[in-house]
Amino acid sequence: MIIKIVVAGENQFTRLYQPDADEMLVGVDGGINYIIQMGLTADLGIGDFDSCNIEEVVMACSKVKVFPKEKEKSDLELAILEVKDLHHEKIVIYNGTGGRLDHFIAILNVLIKYSEANIEVVDEHNLMRIISQPTKLVKRDYKYFSLFALEEGTIISLQGFKYPLTNYHLAIHDNLCLSNELVEDGFLEVNNKKILVIESK
Amino acid sequence: MIIKIVVAGENQFTRLYQPDADEMLVGVDGGINYIIQMGLTADLGIGDFDSCNIEEVVMACSKVKVFPKEKEKSDLELAILEVKDLHHEKIVIYNGTGGRLDHFIAILNVLIKYSEANIEVVDEHNLMRIISQPTKLVKRDYKYFSLFALEEGTIISLQGFKYPLTNYHLAIHDNLCLSNELVEDGFLEVNNKKILVIESK
């Protein structure tokens, strides 16, 4: 199953959405409106819905969880907690980029915190995810491939890239792996440390 | 002096630019085109200019520094290195948000690496900067005020906020300080650790 989470923000979901045979649609707070706009039914609606018509939300969702506005965790994190233990291939977050940068940093933090749940953030230019294990990389419809360390002591090797690397110590905040390119299917080796991977057009 | 750095990317500079009495205009690579578009002269043009008309660039700049395309540092970092020791009040980066997320993360890394240079990233919704000292916060035209720790052992106190805090241990990747609000001029205390501060509309 692919779990698709639609958050409030600059809408790209309605342009990017393509149905999958086995998917779960989750609308987080105002993000539910884009699911409604597509004439789809959300399997789950979650949030405080303070800027939504709650009757419309209930109509558009198979299941709704309403949380108070003032809470310790963001609506997105509550959604991740709700779905992360369901059997799934990956979780994709839509509308998480653009607009408010603090929201984007908060989404990045959720991605890092729940990295074992295999979460991706997508928009029209980018696909962002966390990798912490040796991983085969398929050359796809993205030109650039950038990597950023998130933990101290990260050692990486890159094969199949324009600029390959062998046992490179990628420090936190090091931009050396910005705008690399896959020339063929490649391979990333990493010593069990979390790396932020961004493929972009 | 205010140093204004215009990078390539989704253009907001032409909408946000307002002249200051004492300013230095720096065009980084394709960013120079937006300075040209405004009919302004750049005090400095810097980059590999591989996607620019180099004669046009030379015409539009008081001074030009051309670097090879393949280099260890990004054009933006080279620009920061060029200006950071000039006497200045702050450095403002335009067009650093939107579009490619890897570029945004790379800019964030430059902000962190050269935090003593007092760099801001601005767009129409956000003002992003690093704070590591006790700082008075003026209530301005932004609704939300978010803080994210960048170093272990960060302890903060917030006064003048909707949700004040006293000696709170803000962990890296903790989203607790997302979407706080200044209710009046406020004060941020921090124990000499770098915090990412984002004010947004």
Side-chain angles (χ1 to χ4, degrees):
Chain A
M1 177 171 68
I2 298 175
I3 300 172
K4 298 177 179 177
I5 297 184
V6 187
V7 300
E10 288 192 0
N11 174 40
Q12 301 212 22
F13 172 70
T14 52
R15 288 196 294 280
L16 293 173
Y17 174 75
Q18 298 206 310
D20 283 288
D22 188 12
E23 67 179 20
M24 175 183 185
L25 267 182
V26 182
V28 175
D29 209 58
I32 194 78
N33 290 321
Y34 303 113
I35 296 177
I36 295 174
Q37 204 174 309
M38 300 278 285
L40 299 165
T41 299
D43 298 288
L44 173 64
I46 199 161
D48 53 51
F49 298 111
D50 59 337
S51 53
C52 295
N53 178 330
I54 192 71
E55 283 168 27
E56 230 177 70
V57 170
V58 170
M59 288 278 289
C61 298
S62 304
K63 188 176 157 190
V64 181
K65 287 216 165 190
V66 182
F67 288 90
K69 186 167 163 51
E70 293 189 14
K71 52 194 171 310
E72 291 275 301
K73 290 185 163 47
S74 68
D75 290 326
L76 172 63
E77 187 165 352
L78 294 169
I80 297 287
L81 287 171
E82 197 68 24
V83 301
K84 76 181 180 59
D85 296 328
L86 301 176
H87 180 73
H88 65 276
E89 181 191 326
K90 63 181 175 181
I91 298 172
V92 185
I93 299 174
Y94 294 89
N95 302 346
T97 61
R100 279 179 58 188
L101 296 177
D102 54 345
H103 279 172
F104 172 68
I105 300 288
I107 284 172
L108 184 58
N109 286 342
V110 167
L111 213 71
I112 295 165
K113 189 167 175 184
Y114 300 100
S115 60
E116 77 289 350
N118 196 17
I119 308 174
E120 294 179 352
V121 177
V122 295
D123 65 24
E124 283 169 325
H125 299 284
N126 308 277
L127 189 159
M128 185 168 87
R129 58 188 163 137
I130 308 289
I131 291 180
S132 57
Q133 303 292 332
T135 302
K136 191 184 170 202
L137 303 169
V138 179
K139 184 165 163 53
R140 296 185 288 195
D141 187 22
Y142 292 96
K143 181 163 186 198
Y144 300 104
F145 198 108
S146 301
L147 304 101
F148 303 97
L150 299 165
E151 296 181 277
E152 300 289 355
T154 300
I155 309 288
I156 61 167
S157 296
L158 300 177
Q159 294 158 36
F161 282 80
K162 184 170 175 186
Y163 307 105
L165 284 173
T166 304
N167 293 330
Y168 179 74
H169 172 224
L170 186 61
I172 297 179
H173 309 313
D174 180 347
N175 283 341
L176 185 89
C177 293
L178 177 69
S179 299
N180 207 334
E181 295 176 37
L182 274 174
V183 287
E184 57 193 0
D185 284 357
F187 199 79
L188 161 66
E189 266 187 83
V190 56
N191 56 339
N192 216 21
K193 302 283 184 183
K194 292 177 191 172
I195 302 176
L196 175 63
V197 173
I198 303 176
E199 291 170 79
S200 58
K201 286 175 184 171
Chain B
M1 177 171 69
I2 299 175
I3 300 171
K4 299 177 179 177
I5 297 183
V6 187
V7 300
E10 288 192 0
N11 175 39
Q12 301 213 22
F13 172 71
T14 53
R15 288 197 294 281
L16 293 173
Y17 173 74
Q18 298 206 310
D20 283 287
D22 189 14
E23 68 180 19
M24 176 183 184
L25 267 182
V26 182
V28 175
D29 208 59
I32 194 78
N33 291 321
Y34 303 114
I35 296 177
I36 295 173
Q37 204 173 308
M38 299 279 284
L40 299 165
T41 299
D43 297 288
L44 173 65
I46 201 162
D48 53 51
F49 298 111
D50 60 336
S51 54
C52 296
N53 178 330
I54 192 71
E55 283 167 28
E56 228 178 69
V57 169
V58 170
M59 290 275 289
C61 298
S62 305
K63 188 175 157 191
V64 181
K65 286 215 165 190
V66 182
F67 289 90
K69 187 165 163 51
E70 293 188 13
K71 52 194 172 307
E72 290 277 300
K73 291 184 161 47
S74 68
D75 290 327
L76 173 63
E77 187 164 351
L78 293 170
I80 297 287
L81 287 171
E82 197 68 25
V83 302
K84 77 181 179 59
D85 297 327
L86 302 176
H87 180 72
H88 65 276
E89 181 191 327
K90 64 181 175 182
I91 297 172
V92 185
I93 298 173
Y94 295 89
N95 302 346
T97 61
R100 279 178 58 187
L101 297 177
D102 54 346
H103 279 173
F104 173 68
I105 299 289
I107 285 173
L108 185 56
N109 286 343
V110 168
L111 213 72
I112 295 165
K113 188 168 176 184
Y114 300 100
S115 61
E116 77 289 351
N118 196 17
I119 307 174
E120 293 180 353
V121 176
V122 296
D123 65 24
E124 282 169 327
H125 298 285
N126 309 275
L127 190 159
M128 184 168 88
R129 58 188 163 138
I130 307 289
I131 292 179
S132 57
Q133 304 291 333
T135 302
K136 191 183 169 204
L137 303 169
V138 179
K139 185 165 162 55
R140 296 185 286 194
D141 187 21
Y142 292 96
K143 182 165 185 198
Y144 300 104
F145 199 109
S146 300
L147 304 100
F148 303 96
L150 298 166
E151 296 181 278
E152 300 289 354
T154 300
I155 308 289
I156 60 167
S157 296
L158 299 177
Q159 294 159 36
F161 282 79
K162 185 170 174 186
Y163 307 105
L165 284 174
T166 305
N167 292 331
Y168 179 74
H169 173 224
L170 186 62
I172 297 179
H173 309 312
D174 180 348
N175 282 342
L176 186 90
C177 293
L178 177 69
S179 299
N180 208 335
E181 296 176 36
L182 274 174
V183 287
E184 58 193 359
D185 285 356
F187 199 80
L188 161 66
E189 265 187 84
V190 57
N191 57 339
N192 215 21
K193 302 282 185 185
K194 291 177 192 175
I195 303 176
L196 174 63
V197 172
I198 303 177
E199 292 170 78
S200 60
K201 287 175 184 172

PDB file of all heavy atoms in Angstrom, chain A residues 9-26:
ATOM      1  N   GLY A   9      -1.244  23.897   2.362  1.00  0.00           N
ATOM      2  CA  GLY A   9      -0.055  24.563   1.832  1.00  0.00           C
ATOM      3  C   GLY A   9      -0.265  24.859   0.369  1.00  0.00           C
ATOM      4  O   GLY A   9      -1.393  24.771  -0.132  1.00  0.00           O
ATOM      5  N   GLU A  10       0.813  25.198  -0.321  1.00  0.00           N
ATOM      6  CA  GLU A  10       0.677  25.513  -1.740  1.00  0.00           C
ATOM      7  C   GLU A  10       0.325  24.236  -2.493  1.00  0.00           C
ATOM      8  O   GLU A  10       1.116  23.304  -2.572  1.00  0.00           O
ATOM      9  CB  GLU A  10       1.966  26.136  -2.270  1.00  0.00           C
ATOM     10  CG  GLU A  10       2.135  27.553  -1.748  1.00  0.00           C
ATOM     11  CD  GLU A  10       3.214  28.344  -2.444  1.00  0.00           C
ATOM     12  OE1 GLU A  10       3.872  27.816  -3.359  1.00  0.00           O
ATOM     13  OE2 GLU A  10       3.397  29.513  -2.065  1.00  0.00           O
ATOM     14  N   ASN A  11      -0.865  24.202  -3.059  1.00  0.00           N
ATOM     15  CA  ASN A  11      -1.404  22.971  -3.624  1.00  0.00           C
ATOM     16  C   ASN A  11      -0.656  22.487  -4.852  1.00  0.00           C
ATOM     17  O   ASN A  11      -0.579  23.169  -5.865  1.00  0.00           O
ATOM     18  CB  ASN A  11      -2.873  23.187  -3.989  1.00  0.00           C
ATOM     19  CG  ASN A  11      -3.435  21.987  -4.709  1.00  0.00           C
ATOM     20  OD1 ASN A  11      -3.129  20.852  -4.347  1.00  0.00           O
ATOM     21  ND2 ASN A  11      -4.237  22.234  -5.726  1.00  0.00           N
ATOM     22  N   GLN A  12      -0.101  21.303  -4.769  1.00  0.00           N
ATOM     23  CA  GLN A  12       0.434  20.637  -5.963  1.00  0.00           C
ATOM     24  C   GLN A  12      -0.223  19.261  -6.084  1.00  0.00           C
ATOM     25  O   GLN A  12      -0.100  18.616  -7.116  1.00  0.00           O
ATOM     26  CB  GLN A  12       1.952  20.482  -5.852  1.00  0.00           C
ATOM     27  CG  GLN A  12       2.670  21.814  -5.691  1.00  0.00           C
ATOM     28  CD  GLN A  12       4.041  21.809  -6.338  1.00  0.00           C
ATOM     29  OE1 GLN A  12       4.337  21.026  -7.227  1.00  0.00           O
ATOM     30  NE2 GLN A  12       4.887  22.703  -5.874  1.00  0.00           N
ATOM     31  N   PHE A  13      -0.914  18.846  -5.023  1.00  0.00           N
ATOM     32  CA  PHE A  13      -1.535  17.521  -5.006  1.00  0.00           C
ATOM     33  C   PHE A  13      -2.463  17.327  -6.200  1.00  0.00           C
ATOM     34  O   PHE A  13      -2.405  16.298  -6.881  1.00  0.00           O
ATOM     35  CB  PHE A  13      -2.308  17.306  -3.704  1.00  0.00           C
ATOM     36  CG  PHE A  13      -3.125  16.051  -3.687  1.00  0.00           C
ATOM     37  CD1 PHE A  13      -2.510  14.800  -3.623  1.00  0.00           C
ATOM     38  CD2 PHE A  13      -4.513  16.099  -3.743  1.00  0.00           C
ATOM     39  CE1 PHE A  13      -3.264  13.633  -3.618  1.00  0.00           C
ATOM     40  CE2 PHE A  13      -5.272  14.932  -3.743  1.00  0.00           C
ATOM     41  CZ  PHE A  13      -4.645  13.700  -3.679  1.00  0.00           C
ATOM     42  N   THR A  14      -3.315  18.313  -6.455  1.00  0.00           N
ATOM     43  CA  THR A  14      -4.308  18.115  -7.520  1.00  0.00           C
ATOM     44  C   THR A  14      -3.636  17.971  -8.892  1.00  0.00           C
ATOM     45  O   THR A  14      -4.187  17.367  -9.791  1.00  0.00           O
ATOM     46  CB  THR A  14      -5.345  19.274  -7.550  1.00  0.00           C
ATOM     47  OG1 THR A  14      -4.641  20.513  -7.599  1.00  0.00           O
ATOM     48  CG2 THR A  14      -6.222  19.266  -6.308  1.00  0.00           C
ATOM     49  N   ARG A  15      -2.420  18.518  -9.044  1.00  0.00           N
ATOM     50  CA  ARG A  15      -1.694  18.354 -10.304  1.00  0.00           C
ATOM     51  C   ARG A  15      -0.882  17.052 -10.336  1.00  0.00           C
ATOM     52  O   ARG A  15      -0.699  16.455 -11.387  1.00  0.00           O
ATOM     53  CB  ARG A  15      -0.743  19.536 -10.538  1.00  0.00           C
ATOM     54  CG  ARG A  15      -1.483  20.821 -10.904  1.00  0.00           C
ATOM     55  CD  ARG A  15      -0.548  21.855 -11.513  1.00  0.00           C
ATOM     56  NE  ARG A  15       0.456  22.338 -10.573  1.00  0.00           N
ATOM     57  CZ  ARG A  15       0.243  23.244  -9.648  1.00  0.00           C
ATOM     58  NH1 ARG A  15      -0.958  23.769  -9.511  1.00  0.00           N
ATOM     59  NH2 ARG A  15       1.208  23.639  -8.836  1.00  0.00           N
ATOM     60  N   LEU A  16      -0.404  16.614  -9.182  1.00  0.00           N
ATOM     61  CA  LEU A  16       0.509  15.463  -9.151  1.00  0.00           C
ATOM     62  C   LEU A  16      -0.190  14.126  -8.911  1.00  0.00           C
ATOM     63  O   LEU A  16       0.358  13.068  -9.197  1.00  0.00           O
ATOM     64  CB  LEU A  16       1.573  15.662  -8.059  1.00  0.00           C
ATOM     65  CG  LEU A  16       2.569  16.802  -8.278  1.00  0.00           C
ATOM     66  CD1 LEU A  16       3.438  16.990  -7.047  1.00  0.00           C
ATOM     67  CD2 LEU A  16       3.449  16.517  -9.501  1.00  0.00           C
ATOM     68  N   TYR A  17      -1.410  14.165  -8.358  1.00  0.00           N
ATOM     69  CA  TYR A  17      -2.070  12.917  -7.946  1.00  0.00           C
ATOM     70  C   TYR A  17      -2.332  11.985  -9.117  1.00  0.00           C
ATOM     71  O   TYR A  17      -2.904  12.383 -10.130  1.00  0.00           O
ATOM     72  CB  TYR A  17      -3.399  13.229  -7.246  1.00  0.00           C
ATOM     73  CG  TYR A  17      -4.188  11.980  -6.941  1.00  0.00           C
ATOM     74  CD1 TYR A  17      -3.811  11.137  -5.908  1.00  0.00           C
ATOM     75  CD2 TYR A  17      -5.305  11.648  -7.706  1.00  0.00           C
ATOM     76  CE1 TYR A  17      -4.518   9.976  -5.640  1.00  0.00           C
ATOM     77  CE2 TYR A  17      -6.022  10.487  -7.431  1.00  0.00           C
ATOM     78  CZ  TYR A  17      -5.622   9.655  -6.403  1.00  0.00           C
ATOM     79  OH  TYR A  17      -6.329   8.509  -6.140  1.00  0.00           O
ATOM     80  N   GLN A  18      -1.924  10.735  -8.937  1.00  0.00           N
ATOM     81  CA  GLN A  18      -2.298   9.675  -9.855  1.00  0.00           C
ATOM     82  C   GLN A  18      -2.716   8.487  -9.012  1.00  0.00           C
ATOM     83  O   GLN A  18      -1.995   8.097  -8.086  1.00  0.00           O
ATOM     84  CB  GLN A  18      -1.117   9.288 -10.734  1.00  0.00           C
ATOM     85  CG  GLN A  18      -0.644  10.454 -11.595  1.00  0.00           C
ATOM     86  CD  GLN A  18       0.037   9.998 -12.863  1.00  0.00           C
ATOM     87  OE1 GLN A  18       0.927   9.164 -12.790  1.00  0.00           O
ATOM     88  NE2 GLN A  18      -0.393  10.519 -13.998  1.00  0.00           N
ATOM     89  N   PRO A  19      -3.890   7.919  -9.311  1.00  0.00           N
ATOM     90  CA  PRO A  19      -4.387   6.834  -8.465  1.00  0.00           C
ATOM     91  C   PRO A  19      -3.489   5.598  -8.523  1.00  0.00           C
ATOM     92  O   PRO A  19      -2.929   5.280  -9.562  1.00  0.00           O
ATOM     93  CB  PRO A  19      -5.774   6.532  -9.050  1.00  0.00           C
ATOM     94  CG  PRO A  19      -5.785   7.129 -10.414  1.00  0.00           C
ATOM     95  CD  PRO A  19      -4.810   8.246 -10.411  1.00  0.00           C
ATOM     96  N   ASP A  20      -3.306   4.937  -7.395  1.00  0.00           N
ATOM     97  CA  ASP A  20      -2.623   3.643  -7.346  1.00  0.00           C
ATOM     98  C   ASP A  20      -3.633   2.595  -6.909  1.00  0.00           C
ATOM     99  O   ASP A  20      -4.582   2.892  -6.171  1.00  0.00           O
ATOM    100  CB  ASP A  20      -1.451   3.696  -6.363  1.00  0.00           C
ATOM    101  CG  ASP A  20      -0.258   4.410  -6.947  1.00  0.00           C
ATOM    102  OD1 ASP A  20       0.391   3.841  -7.832  1.00  0.00           O
ATOM    103  OD2 ASP A  20       0.003   5.566  -6.544  1.00  0.00           O
ATOM    104  N   ALA A  21      -3.406   1.354  -7.349  1.00  0.00           N
ATOM    105  CA  ALA A  21      -4.366   0.280  -7.068  1.00  0.00           C
ATOM    106  C   ALA A  21      -4.579   0.144  -5.558  1.00  0.00           C
ATOM    107  O   ALA A  21      -5.713   0.037  -5.087  1.00  0.00           O
ATOM    108  CB  ALA A  21      -3.843  -1.030  -7.655  1.00  0.00           C
ATOM    109  N   ASP A  22      -3.480   0.204  -4.813  1.00  0.00           N
ATOM    110  CA  ASP A  22      -3.594   0.003  -3.367  1.00  0.00           C
ATOM    111  C   ASP A  22      -3.040   1.241  -2.669  1.00  0.00           C
ATOM    112  O   ASP A  22      -1.836   1.362  -2.449  1.00  0.00           O
ATOM    113  CB  ASP A  22      -2.791  -1.250  -2.973  1.00  0.00           C
ATOM    114  CG  ASP A  22      -3.035  -1.629  -1.531  1.00  0.00           C
ATOM    115  OD1 ASP A  22      -3.983  -1.080  -0.921  1.00  0.00           O
ATOM    116  OD2 ASP A  22      -2.273  -2.457  -1.010  1.00  0.00           O
ATOM    117  N   GLU A  23      -3.929   2.170  -2.347  1.00  0.00           N
ATOM    118  CA  GLU A  23      -3.476   3.409  -1.719  1.00  0.00           C
ATOM    119  C   GLU A  23      -4.394   3.780  -0.560  1.00  0.00           C
ATOM    120  O   GLU A  23      -5.542   3.343  -0.487  1.00  0.00           O
ATOM    121  CB  GLU A  23      -3.430   4.560  -2.738  1.00  0.00           C
ATOM    122  CG  GLU A  23      -4.798   4.974  -3.249  1.00  0.00           C
ATOM    123  CD  GLU A  23      -4.749   6.127  -4.246  1.00  0.00           C
ATOM    124  OE1 GLU A  23      -3.691   6.380  -4.837  1.00  0.00           O
ATOM    125  OE2 GLU A  23      -5.795   6.779  -4.428  1.00  0.00           O
ATOM    126  N   MET A  24      -3.851   4.609   0.345  1.00  0.00           N
ATOM    127  CA  MET A  24      -4.650   5.150   1.441  1.00  0.00           C
ATOM    128  C   MET A  24      -4.478   6.662   1.380  1.00  0.00           C
ATOM    129  O   MET A  24      -3.361   7.169   1.391  1.00  0.00           O
ATOM    130  CB  MET A  24      -4.120   4.613   2.774  1.00  0.00           C
ATOM    131  CG  MET A  24      -4.820   5.220   3.982  1.00  0.00           C
ATOM    132  SD  MET A  24      -4.080   4.615   5.536  1.00  0.00           S
ATOM    133  CE  MET A  24      -5.209   5.369   6.719  1.00  0.00           C
ATOM    134  N   LEU A  25      -5.599   7.373   1.306  1.00  0.00           N
ATOM    135  CA  LEU A  25      -5.558   8.835   1.191  1.00  0.00           C
ATOM    136  C   LEU A  25      -5.826   9.463   2.551  1.00  0.00           C
ATOM    137  O   LEU A  25      -6.860   9.222   3.169  1.00  0.00           O
ATOM    138  CB  LEU A  25      -6.647   9.303   0.227  1.00  0.00           C
ATOM    139  CG  LEU A  25      -6.294   9.487  -1.236  1.00  0.00           C
ATOM    140  CD1 LEU A  25      -7.525  10.002  -1.989  1.00  0.00           C
ATOM    141  CD2 LEU A  25      -5.128  10.446  -1.412  1.00  0.00           C
ATOM    142  N   VAL A  26      -4.879  10.289   3.002  1.00  0.00           N
ATOM    143  CA  VAL A  26      -5.020  10.935   4.303  1.00  0.00           C
ATOM    144  C   VAL A  26      -5.013  12.452   4.103  1.00  0.00           C
ATOM    145  O   VAL A  26      -4.069  13.002   3.536  1.00  0.00           O
ATOM    146  CB  VAL A  26      -3.857  10.534   5.245  1.00  0.00           C
ATOM    147  CG1 VAL A  26      -4.040  11.181   6.610  1.00  0.00           C
ATOM    148  CG2 VAL A  26      -3.769   9.015   5.373  1.00  0.00           C
TER     149      VAL A  26
END
